[in-house]
Amino acid sequence: MMFIRLWLFFAGVLATLFLGWAALVGVPGMQLASVAPQQGLRPYTYEQMHGRQIYIREGCAYCHSQQTRAEGFGSDQQRRWGRASVPGDYVYDRPHLLGTSRTGPDLWNIGARQPSRSWHLTHLYNPRSVVRESVMPPFPWLFVEKTEAGPEDVMLDVPPAFRPRAGVSIVATREALDLVEYLLGLDHTYPVAPGAGKP
Amino acid sequence: MQPPAEEQAPDRLASRQELDRAAALPVLLYFGSGIAWLLAGTLLGVAASLKFDLPDWLGTIAQLTYGRIRPAHLNVMAYGWASLAGAGCLVWLTSRLCRVPIRRPEWLIASVLLWNLGVAYGALSILLGYSQSVEWLEYPLPAAGIIAAAFLLFASSILATFRARKVEHLYVSLWYIMASVVWFPPLYVVANLPIYTGVVHGAVNWWYGHNALAVWFTPVGLTLAYYFIPKVIGRPIYSYYLSLIGFWAFALFYNWNGIHHLVGGPVPTWLQTISIIASVLMVIPVMAVAVNHHMTTIGNFRMLRTSPTLRFTVFGAMSYTAVSFQGSMEALRTMQEVVHFTHYTVGHAHLGVYAFLTMILFGAMYYITPRVAQWNWTRPGWIKAHFWLSAGGVLLYVAAMVVGGFLQGLAMNDAAKPFVEVVDLTRPYLTARTVSGILMGAGHLVFALLFVEVVLRRGPRRLAPPWEAGGAG
Amino acid sequence: MNIPPEVLLLIGISVCGSAVALAAFVWAVNTGQMDETESGALAIFDEGEPEGAQGQATGTGRQRRRSD
């Protein structure tokens, strides 16, 4: 009896999908289409876009979120992870990297919280060299070893215990530098425009 | 009440054998492929889990870094194991419920080949660094396209078989099957379109993520539970009327859940609220299913000891109730404030895709395989081992992640605790998770060996196959 | 309360959809679709595998007479 009118069944079924899409995507999309980028938000530079691709490639989004929650909902504010993020902060993000896991800390304002390029480079080379209890993976393939570093090379200051062997310099590749460029660019501490909060 | 008069028993039996014979090659290809991906996915999953215990293990190999093997694991399990095994079950079930041999078996063969190609291509792409980093949609577009094509071929065969049906009364399982084959293609295509940015992309991501459960994975599990529980016990489902209500409530509410993955995030508050409400409303269809399954099984629990299909399926059906109630609670803001971003969510996910769906898939495959392969399972002791390894493994997994995740969330909300302390407290739970993965993996290995034995017609011919005269079919 | 037009649209679609669903339900009850539902539940049984017989490929306990 469910299929008394077969086309009715299929229409009904597809209607439920469409209705859900309209509610979750269509209407919010219409609402948010008019959201302008926040005033303090700068488009990503070429290097930062490259770095963002590396962030995507290495799956950083599976342990790090990029969304800060409001006061009173979680401890994001007390931990000084930055003011609550708003839609206008994300207009240049494609794909989105909101993240659903905080195995590691939120990174939406990491550029403001940790502005040291050399810290980031060393941390990426092996996180445990700067944070002993870290469970983050190491990323040695973003670096090369050189017996003699050139004048342009950015050398890392890695503790001896974490060096592969003595007598070599660990040098950052373009990928490492651009990834750090991207991370340092994650700074959304500019004030949010009035009325730009969530509808 | 007697069922409508049909042909005499011998003809009916031959007809069932004919159906199974016609379905044999595609179904066994689907099953074999699914099991292969199950093994590959388990390796990836255990490796990923081990990396929390030993973060520097294989730390110089880029292709095996956590951020790549974790999404590879998810996609291989979802689109490889669950989808292929599920598709195989649906092919067989549609044929049986429509009482007609499957139509277009050549499309199904093509579908299996393409599906495997797509899953493999996608998984390799992720490991080699071409992931899109959108959860559940990591596969690069070519791989997604191949999977979409494979699904359409599968759906076309199902619809063609349905059209050729020789029955008047359409069983509840067929509603879920027909719904899922028309629901999934538009969902998959729309979600994969490369046209979204910013927080809208986040909304699309989680509209898809939860809807993939709503329109494909959950219907697969429910359709099989609705069939095998009454079939094996020999009693009709408790209330057909309740299944009707359950189906439409399910279709209506489940589609609106998605944004409960973004509670507290930079999306409109009203949007989060309607998803939370829809998540709680899911209690209605879930109760309908739970009442139906429980009232059908009650009085027959001793059968769980002798029927592996029933054991796996009832375990799965109970897990469905559990994971759904857990989900309804988890969506509430009070819970979300604690457990969002923690391992709790991962525990919930595995209660769903493993304890519910995978266990039901095992149960179904234990029933279907001997009938299509015309060779019975050979080692009951191994089947028992499989059950206990899988059941024990997943219960340990879920307990570890739910408890550990909840504690992780509480600690994270305590700003006085440095972040590294939060990480530290999760360690024992993550180790327990690795152990549980090894248990489940052992069960999978046992299952795979059993399957190979049946397909190759090896091993002790222990019991008379049920389709011989005197058997109950 | 300031309701954005898009949300009004959504509410409108939902109300219409619910009205259609309710109408369909009322039609189903009135035309007797709901009266005879039990035969649907019996669709999985027939002479070869009747109600009451237990069908299963293999048992892991004692061998049963009619099923196994």
Side-chain angles (χ1 to χ4, degrees), chain B residues 35-56:
Chain B
I35 293 176
W37 288 117
L38 178 67
L39 295 176
T42 309
L43 270 173
L44 288 166
V46 174
S49 190
L50 203 47
K51 289 204 165 227
F52 283 98
D53 304 302
L54 306 165
D56 288 308

Side-chain angles (χ1 to χ4, degrees), chain A residues 23-198:
Chain A
L24 269 45
V25 175
V27 167
M30 282 163 63
Q31 258 193 321
L32 295 167
S34 55
V35 163
Q38 280 292 307
Q39 281 234 307
L41 182 70
R42 278 158 297 150
Y44 294 113
T45 65
Y46 177 81
E47 287 78 17
Q48 287 172 337
M49 282 301 286
H50 182 219
R52 193 170 196 272
Q53 276 309 116
I54 300 189
Y55 185 99
I56 288 171
R57 181 184 81 194
E58 304 300 346
C60 307
Y62 297 103
C63 287
H64 291 283
S65 59
Q66 288 188 12
Q67 47 174 300
T68 38
R69 298 189 291 186
E71 177 66 52
F73 198 71
S75 67
D76 300 29
Q77 297 307 310
Q78 288 79 8
R79 289 184 184 273
R80 301 180 173 287
W81 282 351
R83 57 143 177 90
S85 52
V86 296
D89 293 332
Y90 297 90
V91 291
Y92 301 123
D93 279 25
R94 185 176 173 168
H96 82 90
L97 292 171
L98 291 168
T100 52
S101 182
R102 285 178 175 173
T103 310
D106 182 271
L107 297 180
W108 195 228
N109 292 291
I110 190 67
R113 212 157 62 238
Q114 177 52 277
S116 159
R117 178 176 277 105
S118 74
W119 184 93
H120 280 292
L121 287 169
T122 311
H123 181 245
L124 283 167
Y125 180 76
N126 191 319
R128 277 155 292 289
S129 65
V130 286
V131 182
R132 198 170 42 85
E133 310 90 335
S134 175
V135 292
M136 177 167 141
F139 296 93
W141 53 89
L142 299 178
F143 304 89
V144 288
E145 296 165 29
K146 287 189 175 175
T147 39
E148 258 184 53
E152 297 283 303
D153 287 339
V154 177
M155 282 195 307
L156 267 61
D157 186 19
V158 176
F162 293 90
R163 290 177 171 274
R165 53 182 183 281
V168 286
S169 303
I170 299 167
V171 171
T173 63
R174 185 82 256 149
E175 287 193 341
L177 292 170
D178 286 351
L179 176 57
V180 173
E181 209 38 53
Y182 166 68
L183 293 172
L184 292 178
L186 289 177
D187 179 347
H188 304 87
T189 52
Y190 51 81
V192 65
K198 296 199 292 274

Side-chain angles (χ1 to χ4, degrees), chain B residues 37-339:
Chain B
W37 288 117
L38 178 67
L39 295 176
T42 309
L43 270 173
L44 288 166
V46 174
S49 190
L50 203 47
K51 289 204 165 227
F52 283 98
D53 304 302
L54 306 165
D56 288 308
W57 176 56
L58 301 177
T60 52
I61 306 177
Q63 293 75 19
L64 299 178
T65 190
Y66 176 81
R68 300 192 200 186
I69 59 178
R70 190 265 200 207
H73 161 76
L74 186 151
N75 282 273
V76 158
M77 287 306 205
Y79 303 111
W81 153 244
S83 294
L84 283 167
C89 292
L90 261 50
V91 164
W92 179 87
L93 190 56
T94 305
S95 169
R96 282 291 194 103
L97 289 175
C98 293
R99 300 247 198 254
V100 82
I102 53 165
R103 288 286 182 272
R104 302 289 184 186
E106 64 276 8
W107 288 359
L108 291 174
I109 311 281
S111 163
V112 174
L113 295 172
L114 275 178
W115 214 315
N116 278 309
L117 180 65
V119 173
Y121 176 18
L124 269 167
S125 299
I126 293 176
L127 296 178
L128 294 173
Y130 298 100
S131 163
Q132 294 200 66
S133 188
V134 180
E135 283 192 67
W136 291 86
L137 293 164
E138 286 92 343
Y139 279 2
L141 288 183
I146 294 173
I147 291 181
F151 192 95
L152 283 169
L153 284 166
F154 155 75
S156 306
S157 164
I158 295 275
L159 288 166
T161 306
F162 178 70
R163 229 167 136 237
R165 67 192 177 279
K166 290 210 169 74
V167 289
E168 213 186 286
H169 294 281
L170 295 170
Y171 191 61
V172 55
S173 296
L174 272 171
W175 315 339
Y176 285 97
I177 297 176
M178 291 308 134
S180 68
V181 297
V182 303
W183 259 334
F184 187 74
L187 173 72
Y188 194 62
V189 168
V190 168
N192 266 300
L193 295 173
I195 56 176
Y196 311 105
T197 45
V199 297
V200 174
H201 191 201
V204 171
N205 187 175
W206 291 109
W207 166 72
Y208 172 80
H210 215 92
N211 265 24
L213 303 180
V215 312
W216 175 237
F217 295 108
T218 305
V220 168
L222 291 182
T223 204
L224 296 172
Y226 262 119
Y227 181 75
F228 286 110
I229 291 179
K231 183 68 170 171
V232 173
I233 290 178
R235 276 167 69 175
I237 204 81
Y238 173 70
S239 167
Y240 203 65
Y241 186 57
L242 207 52
S243 338
L244 238 174
I245 311 258
F247 175 80
W248 285 110
F250 174 92
L252 193 56
F253 300 144
Y254 214 163
N255 270 285
W256 290 52
N257 281 14
I259 309 302
H260 68 215
H261 293 264
L262 287 170
V263 173
V267 288
T269 310
W270 67 263
L271 181 58
Q272 300 175 36
T273 304
I274 58 173
S275 275
I276 295 174
I277 294 175
S279 307
V280 174
L281 284 173
M282 283 303 291
V283 167
I284 297 171
V286 169
M287 280 299 297
V289 168
V291 165
N292 247 336
H293 290 162
H294 181 76
M295 295 305 285
T296 308
T297 314
I298 204 157
N300 290 292
F301 278 100
R302 71 192 129 67
M303 283 193 69
L304 265 69
R305 261 192 288 143
T306 49
S307 167
T309 294
L310 200 60
R311 204 181 310 147
F312 277 100
T313 307
V314 168
F315 185 95
M318 287 178 165
S319 299
Y320 175 66
T321 310
V323 73
S324 302
F325 286 153
Q326 181 195 33
S328 295
M329 277 201 315
E330 192 179 343
L332 298 170
R333 284 195 166 87
T334 323
M335 276 294 279
Q336 275 291 297
E337 188 180 350
V338 179
V339 302

Side-chain angles (χ1 to χ4, degrees), chain B residues 374-378 457-465 467-468:
Chain B
Q374 301 275 296
W375 191 264
N376 209 345
W377 298 106
T378 55
R457 307 237 176 128
R458 294 276 170 77
R461 195 184 157 93
R462 210 191 114 259
L463 294 169
W467 48 83
E468 278 172 12

